[in-house]
Amino acid sequence: MIYLDHNAATPILAEVLEAMMPYLTTEWGNPSSAYKFGSKLKSVIKTAREQVAELIGAHPMDVIFTSCATESNNAAIAAALKANPTKRHIITSQVEHSSVLNYCMALEKQSQDSPQSSQRSQRRDPRSVSVFSVPSVVNGSSDGYRVTYLPVDREGLLNLADLEAAITEETAVVSLMWANNETGVLFPVEKIAEICRSRGVLYHCDAVQAAGKVPIDVRKLPADYLSLTGHKFHAPKGIGARNLSRENRDVRRKSPFSPLVYGGHQERNRRGGTESVPLIVGMGKAAQLARRHLPDCGKKVRPLRDELEEGILSSIPNTELNGHKTQRIANTTNFTFHGIESEALLILLDKEGICASSGSACLADSDEPSHVIKAMKPDAAASRQMIRFSLGDATAREGIEVVVNAVKCQTAALRDVLSPH
Ligand code: PLP
């Protein structure tokens, strides 16, 4: 198998599994228990929290463990809205992950479904809570949450003037990702954070695809909330984290701690639910390793990604790169193969043992085109004809040539079948 879908999931590293094993076997107590067999696990959670904090330059107390980044993203936006009950406007982009887009759309829909607006919404077309079509730039109703979905250009870049223009007195929160999961395009998060800070608006950054790939230092990035997930940097699935800004103390006082999941006193009352000690330990260990490997991260993977990119673009006609050439994380490349349905090519590649994807794994069960490519290149066909390859530390040079040849053969075969004779 040649696995080129690391933006969907990464393998659990042997050291991570080793670190987790005691907590899956002998040390299975509940950290909230009064007796030592359970309570001693508190120190293990503390270590993992410190390790995750170190990866992002945060204070450990500001790291809250969650079940995944979807929860972290939802929780951050919810907390920001709760902190500003009179402000009803959210700004995000058309290319965010579904965990941000669908949450924003649910908030719009919720407000349309509210008793005050039900009469009005009956007259409107019901809005489907879906990211499968690119949301238009401004959606929502005057009596509920209004969401601005900022557009991107053909290279997937954001125009910061659009952000500046979209912020109003009503804006409660801006949610803009660090690195795009489909194209790898990097948003200028420091500048975004500065704009938000200068305009007095909370900023949430989905840093899921950036963690372990680019240096993150929340002391330099004045984001109020930052989301992470373990399974993108070699920890298991089912564990995420959310960071709260420490620097911005005024914001903290207002309501940064409002939980999404209410329950016990875990995570200092910020996220209820018995802590999954093995997963937390795994995320901590993976964060420690990711931090250690960060300086070398791009060095190995970038030349291989570039080789793959050049190989494909130079040998397969009618193929186009999606995403900015340089403003991108080092492991990701995304192509449109004109005239070829992504799914057909993916099936043929799968038969040859090559794993790639046609967008976010979270939307893979739908047959809808990529909303990211659609936002970049509104030509509907391009978004159905894209393939993402995302490399990892274990990607071997020999594999690149195999993939280029396989893509070349299969695209030629598909074009041959499809071309009118
Ligand atoms: N945000 C981005 C950019 C992602 O790529 C993903 C997962 O692919 C998520 C959020 C959601 O992460 P999780 O699966 O941990 O909920």
Side-chain angles (χ1 to χ4, degrees), residues 293-304:
H293 296 148
L294 198 58
D296 296 325
C297 174
K299 280 187 199 151
K300 179 171 176 255
V301 100
R302 189 188 301 278
L304 296 182

Side-chain angles (χ1 to χ4, degrees), residues 7-9 67-73 96-100 177-182 206-210 227-232 237-240 360-362 388:
N7 287 11
S67 64
C68 57
T70 298
E71 182 192 324
S72 304
N73 285 346
E96 298 297 309
H97 187 263
S98 53
S99 52
V100 168
M177 68 202 322
W178 196 315
N180 189 277
N181 45 308
E182 294 194 25
D206 174 348
V208 162
Q209 296 290 349
S227 304
L228 303 172
T229 193
H231 70 108
K232 309 295 181 186
K237 294 158 200 73
I239 181 73
S360 169
C362 297
R388 171 186 77 185

Side-chain angles (χ1 to χ4, degrees), residues 8-50:
T10 52
I12 300 172
L13 291 177
E15 287 139 293
V16 171
L17 187 61
E18 199 186 318
M20 290 170 63
M21 277 315 269
Y23 310 99
L24 289 163
T25 50
T26 49
E27 305 287 343
W28 43 263
N30 186 326
S32 298
S33 298
Y35 43 83
K36 268 212 194 87
F37 178 63
S39 65
K40 67 180 176 190
L41 298 173
K42 284 199 179 89
S43 70
V44 172
I45 296 176
K46 181 173 174 278
T47 303
R49 201 185 305 284
E50 286 163 2

Side-chain angles (χ1 to χ4, degrees), residues 244-262:
L244 304 164
S245 161
R246 170 156 290 252
E247 203 194 334
N248 191 348
R249 289 179 179 279
D250 290 346
V251 173
R252 287 191 94 192
R253 245 177 276 126
K254 269 194 209 156
S255 175
F257 294 140
S258 63
L260 188 72
V261 178
Y262 287 87

